[in-house]
Structures are given as structure tokens and as C-alpha cells.
């Protein structure tokens, strides 16, 4: 079977975000199942695809809103309003429908599409309807947009998120309805998207790497707690705000917290132990330098890949219930609570009692096995659809 994996940004090997990690895990699982995968999408400027022989580039594009100058943001907004597209999909309309069709034709004969998330699938929606498809719902996007609207600071931003939520709800319904099968990244998202039947969807257990991490050797602890993420993404920002505003004030003043990743302007903490360290060269080394990992997600949908990575590494953690979405197995060294005071107490207790690491390789093996079973189920549904089209 040959499938075209249509995505906004093609893998470049960096795996610097949860979105990229999930994409690579899904592509790897498809290839383990014997599928020939050709990836179609845009590349980051200056970053070649990690698998150029099996990648068709439509051009290069920096889709980060926070890094864009104001004229580009206004151009994206104007394009979205004029086209009736979401803001994220409008960013991808730098090429014509005919260019996309020519790129698809260049892939040669293929059996169907993997429509990876809403952005690309919605930007060129009419083009991807000539063959059976699997839709990969990384999140319930309309629900996340509605949550972002409620958390927005200004009236204009609230209005934009409300528009996104309204459009996304219709788009996600159409993509799910037209797809032969739907992959979600959390069990709860299946019902939210209206595809809870096992004949229509399955939740994919994910991993952050193809092999269990090599974590030999004793860890050198540099701080009490460490968080890393793309904090400019609104659902992540909401979780960070909850942690800094609700949990951190209950921590003793000598509790050391290092926060890595891009942080929006205005994010700060009066706690003397909080340190923003920016981009770090080695994310795994950074989190392994902490005695405990706070898993602080409070909004959004999909699965929390930082949770999966923490469990793969066997690190002690304290997690909100939302951070454990889509996770079937919670290690013994993870404490779950949504109460800010209890969360702070659990962090301090984990550090004071020197809660030990666990072997994360078992968690990784379970996830890989379950992922391959889930992907095989979707491929069987897609294969039946391809045969019907061919007939």
C-alpha cells in the first residue's frame, strides 16, 4: 500500500515540538506496517526534510504566529477572512490548487491519503477527496479554540478565537464524515468528534522515539523541577499560567524551578526560585537534570507528549488529570492531582523523599505494541475503501 501523508510541515528530523514528535511516531508506525509513505507539505525555511527521497515539498514556510512581523500577521488575517478559512489554514495558501494537484500527481500511483491534522486538510479540502483517507485528529481543534477564546486577554483576540472555533467545528465534522477512518490521540476525543464507534475511529497510543531512551548512568540533579514546552501555543500557555499563578505561590522560596522553551512576553513569576532558561540544546538532558517533572496541562485536547516522554524516561512526576489524557498506564512514581495546594505539596514531597526513577522501557514497549495494533486497524478500513474505489 502506498499512502500520501498530507501535512502542513514535513518532518525535518528536529522533533522540536509535540506535533512533530507525533507525526514521526505515526509515520514510523505506518512504515512498520509495510506501508510506503510519501510525505507532502511545506518545509521550515532553511531546514531540509529528514527523508527527501520520500518527501514532496510545496515550498518553505514559517507558520509561527508569534515570530511573524505585524504586516505578515495582518496579511494572514486578511487571507483568512477573504477565503473563509481558519487563520492556520490561510497561512498555507501560498501555492495554488493546481500546484498541489501537480505535486500529488508527481507522487505516482497511490492508494489513499493520511490527512494529518486540520490545517493542510482544510487549506486544500477539495483536492483530497478523490481517494479514501484517514484523518488524523491531533486535537479537537474547535474545542481548543473555544477554550483559547475564554482565556484570551483582549476583545479582538477573543473574537478571532470564536471565529476559529465556529469554522473548525464545521471543518472537523466534514473531515471526519468524509474519512474512511479517524485516528485520534486521546480516547476522549473520539466522542467529541462524533466518531466514537470502533468502526469509525481508534485512539493512537504514541511514543516520542522509535527505540526506548538510553538513560544509563546516575542523574545529576541541577534543579528541583523542570518544565519545557512551546509556551507560545495557547493551550500550553494556559497550563503554564495555572502552574505559575496557582501552584508556585505555595512552594517554599528555595524550591528551584527551571522553565525552558519560548515564553510569551509578560509571563513571569515573583517566586525567587523560578528561572526562565530559554532554548536548551538537549531537551532530554534538561528534564533529566530535575528531581521532579510537573505535568501542568489544564486545557486543550489530544495527548500530552511531554507526559509520554516523562514516562519513557522513568522520571518522577506530578501531573494534572488533563496531562494524563490518553495514557492507559500511570507509573508508580507519578502523583496525580488537580488541586494547586496538593500539587505543590506533592512536588516538595517528591523532592524531599528523593522518589526514584523507574524503568521506562516497559512503558515504551507497551505503547509501541498498542500503536501498531491501532494503526493496523485503520489501514484495514482504508484498504477496504481503496478496493471499493478501484472496483
Amino acid at each position: 500500500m502506498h499512502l500520501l501523508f498530507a501535512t502542513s510541515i514535513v518532518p525535518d528530523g528536529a522533533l522540536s515540538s509535540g506535533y512533530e514528535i507525533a507525526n514521526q511516531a505515526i509515520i514510523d508506525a505506518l512504515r512498520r506496517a509495510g506501508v510506503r509513505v510519501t510525505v507532502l507539505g511545506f518545509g521550515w525555511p532553511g531546514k531540509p526534510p529528514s527523508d527527501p527521497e520520500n518527501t514532496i515539498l510545496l515550498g518553505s514556510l514559517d507558520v509561527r504566529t508569534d515570530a511573524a512581523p505585524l504586516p505578515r500577521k495582518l496579511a494572514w488575517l486578511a487571507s483568512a477572512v477573504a477565503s473563509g478559512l481558519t487563520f492556520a489554514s490561510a497561512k498555507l495558501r501560498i501555492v495554488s490548487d493546481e500546484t498541489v494537484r501537480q505535486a500529488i500527481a508527481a507522487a505516482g500511483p497511490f492508494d489513499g491519503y493520511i490527512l494529518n491534522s486540520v490545517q493542510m486538510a482544510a487549506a486544500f479540502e477539495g483536492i483530497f477527496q478523490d481517494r479514501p483517507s484517514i484523518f488524523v485528529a491531533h486535537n479537537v481543534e474547535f474545542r481548543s479554540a473555544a477554550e483559547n477564546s475564554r482565556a484570551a486577554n483582549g476583545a479582538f483576540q477573543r473574537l478571532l478565537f470564536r471565529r476559529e472555533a465556529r469554522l473548525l467545528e464545521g471543518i472537523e465534522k466534514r473531515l471526519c464524515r468524509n474519512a474512511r477512518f479517524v485516528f485520534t490521540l486521546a480516547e476522549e476525543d473520539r466522542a467529541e468528534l462524533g466518531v466514537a464507534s470502533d468502526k469509525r475511529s481508534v485512539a493512537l497510543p504514541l511514543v516520542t522515539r522509535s527505540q526506548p531512551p538510553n538513560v544509563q548512568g546516575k542523574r545529576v540533579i541541577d534543579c528541583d523541577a523542570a518544565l519545557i514546552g512551546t509556551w507560545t501555543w495557547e493551550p500550553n500557555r494556559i497550563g503554564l499560567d495555572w502552574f505559575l499563578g496557582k501552584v508556585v505561590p505555595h512552594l517554599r522560596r528555595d524550591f528551584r524551578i527551571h522553565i525552558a522553551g519560548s515564553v510569551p512576553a509578560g509571563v513571569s513569576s515573583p517566586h525567587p526560585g523560578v528561572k526562565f532558561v530559554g532554548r536548551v540544546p538537549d531537551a532530554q538532558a534538561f528534564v533529566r537534570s530535575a528531581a521532579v517533572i510537573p505535568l501542568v496541562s489544564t486545557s486543550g485536547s489530544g495527548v500530552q507528549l511531554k507526559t509520554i516522554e516523562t514516562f519513557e524516561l522513568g522520571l518522577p512526576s506530578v501531573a494534572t488529570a488533563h496531562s494524563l489524557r490518553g495514557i492507559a498506564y500511570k507509573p508508580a512514581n507519578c502523583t496525580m492531582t488537580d488541586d494547586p495546594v496538593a500539587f505543590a505539596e506533592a512536588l516538595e514531597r517528591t523532592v524531599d523523599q528523593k522518589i526514584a526513577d523507574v524503568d521506562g522501557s516497559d512503558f515504551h514497549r507497551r505503547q509501541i505494541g498498542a500503536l501498531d495494533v491501532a494503526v493496523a486497524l485503520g489501514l484495514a478500513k482504508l484498504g477496504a475503501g481503496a478496493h471499493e474505489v478501484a472496483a
Side-chain angles (χ1 to χ4, degrees), residues 44-342:
W44 285 107
K47 293 184 178 181
S50 56
D51 185 14
E53 293 184 359
N54 296 297
T55 301
I56 300 174
L57 280 177
L58 295 170
S60 62
L61 181 65
D62 188 339
V63 296
R64 295 173 298 177
T65 302
D66 61 295
L70 181 59
R72 186 176 303 162
K73 293 178 183 177
L74 293 175
W76 283 337
L77 179 59
S79 175
V81 172
S83 63
L85 293 171
T86 66
F87 192 72
S89 289
K91 296 176 183 180
L92 306 182
R93 294 292 306 187
I94 63 171
V95 297
S96 66
D97 286 357
E98 183 57 31
T99 297
V100 177
R101 289 192 182 96
Q102 291 175 2
I104 290 173
F110 66 98
D111 301 291
Y113 298 104
I114 304 292
L115 300 179
N116 185 52
S117 196
V118 171
Q119 294 81 9
M120 184 69 168
F124 302 98
E125 191 172 353
I127 295 175
F128 299 123
Q129 295 181 6
D130 61 331
R131 286 174 174 81
S133 66
I134 291 176
F135 174 50
V136 183
H138 283 245
N139 303 281
V140 182
E141 299 283 357
F142 79 86
R143 185 69 63 204
S144 296
E147 291 176 348
N148 294 346
S149 175
R150 290 191 291 270
N153 292 323
F156 183 66
Q157 193 176 34
R158 281 195 297 274
L159 182 64
L160 288 180
F161 278 127
R162 284 174 188 165
R163 176 184 183 273
E164 296 286 294
R166 175 177 54 79
L167 291 175
L168 284 165
E169 186 168 11
I171 291 167
E172 287 176 301
K173 285 181 179 178
R174 289 198 304 273
L175 290 172
C176 289
R177 182 173 62 246
N178 294 335
R180 180 67 53 172
F181 202 71
V182 177
F183 289 151
T184 69
L185 304 189
E187 185 66 33
E188 298 90 335
D189 292 353
R190 298 172 64 206
E192 282 265 18
L193 291 169
V195 291
S197 167
D198 292 343
K199 295 180 180 180
R200 295 286 294 119
S201 71
V202 70
L204 300 184
L206 292 183
V207 291
T208 67
R209 63 205 79 212
S210 58
Q211 298 295 325
N214 183 3
V215 292
Q216 296 178 352
K218 186 177 180 180
R219 293 198 291 129
V220 177
I221 302 302
D222 187 45
C223 62
D224 295 312
L227 299 86
I228 184 170
T230 306
W231 307 114
T232 50
W233 188 50
E234 196 66 23
N236 286 354
R237 164 72 183 268
I238 292 170
L240 181 62
D241 286 345
W242 174 82
F243 178 71
L244 293 176
K246 303 294 187 180
V247 176
V248 168
H250 298 289
L251 292 168
R252 58 180 180 249
R253 293 180 64 78
D254 62 348
F255 195 89
R256 300 164 300 160
I257 306 161
H258 289 179
I259 301 173
S262 178
V263 177
V267 174
S268 63
S269 172
H271 191 286
V274 173
K275 183 179 181 181
F276 296 94
V277 300
R279 185 178 178 86
V280 293
D282 187 330
Q284 181 174 310
F286 172 73
V287 294
R288 292 192 76 235
S289 71
V292 62
I293 307 300
L295 301 169
V296 299
S297 176
T298 61
S299 72
S301 53
V303 72
Q304 298 298 315
L305 282 162
K306 289 304 174 188
T307 301
I308 292 174
E309 182 178 34
T310 299
F311 291 177
E312 287 176 338
L313 293 170
L315 301 176
S317 61
V318 179
T320 60
H322 202 277
S323 296
L324 300 179
R325 283 174 58 96
I327 306 295
Y329 169 72
K330 181 175 74 67
N333 63 349
C334 173
T335 300
M336 191 278 286
T337 179
D338 286 327
D339 179 76
V341 176

Side-chain angles (χ1 to χ4, degrees), residues 344-358:
E345 291 173 348
L347 289 174
E348 292 182 349
R349 184 170 60 253
T350 301
V351 172
D352 294 343
Q353 296 180 1
K354 295 182 172 57
I355 299 297
D357 297 0
V358 298

